[in-house]
Every structure is written in C-alpha cells, then in structure tokens.
C-alpha cells in the first residue's frame, strides 16, 4: 500500500478489534478444551479456527513490525 489510509486511527482501530476478537476466539477454544466440552467430531473445526485466528494475530503484529521498521508512528 503506497498511499496512507485517510484515517489511520480508524484503520488501526479495526485491526486492533480484529486481533482482540481473534484472541477471544482462541481463549474460548482453549477453555472448551480444558473443560473437555469439545468432542472428537469438532476437533478438526477447532483446529481450523485456531489457524485462522492465529493468522489474524500474525497479520496484526506483522503490520506493527512493518510500521515500526518504517519509522512511522
């Protein structure tokens, strides 16, 4: 992306919201695993959701790293 976002605060707010929702999803799945409420039939779905949520977090923290390396606030 060569042109900056017209409203960087809004852009970062949405990225943070996505990251927090992903963390919440991971915690919910972890809680269900620890409580034993995930059946064997649901394990593949839970694994896929964990990969998707982790990818969202990598996108957010990767974007933070790129912005820090560029020297932009």
């Amino acid at each position: 992306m060569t042109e900056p976002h017209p409203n960087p605060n809004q852009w970062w707010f949405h990225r943070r919201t996505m990251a927090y929702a992903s963390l919440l999803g991971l915690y919910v799945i972890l809680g269900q695993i620890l409580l034993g409420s995930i059946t064997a039939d649901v394990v593949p779905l839970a694994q896929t959701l964990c990969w998707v949520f982790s990818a969202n977090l990598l996108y957010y923290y990767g974007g933070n790293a790129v912005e820090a390396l560029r020297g932009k606030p």
Side-chain angles (χ1 to χ4, degrees):
M1 188 162 70
T2 57
E3 296 180 15
H5 193 276
N7 187 353
N9 289 330
Q10 180 184 14
W11 186 61
W12 279 103
F13 172 76
H14 290 298
R15 288 180 72 178
R16 275 191 302 275
T17 304
M18 178 190 63
Y20 291 146
S22 294
L23 279 173
L24 177 64
L26 287 171
Y27 284 139
V28 166
I29 292 172
L30 177 64
Q32 290 179 344
I33 289 170
L34 292 176
L35 294 175
S37 63
I38 290 186
T39 62
D41 298 334
V42 184
V43 169
L45 176 63
Q47 289 174 340
T48 303
L49 286 174
C50 286
W51 281 108
V52 170
F53 293 150
S54 298
N56 283 339
L57 291 172
L58 286 173
Y59 170 71
Y60 175 70
Y61 288 114
N64 287 345
V66 168
E67 292 292 326
L69 290 174
R70 284 185 187 167
K72 295 181 181 178

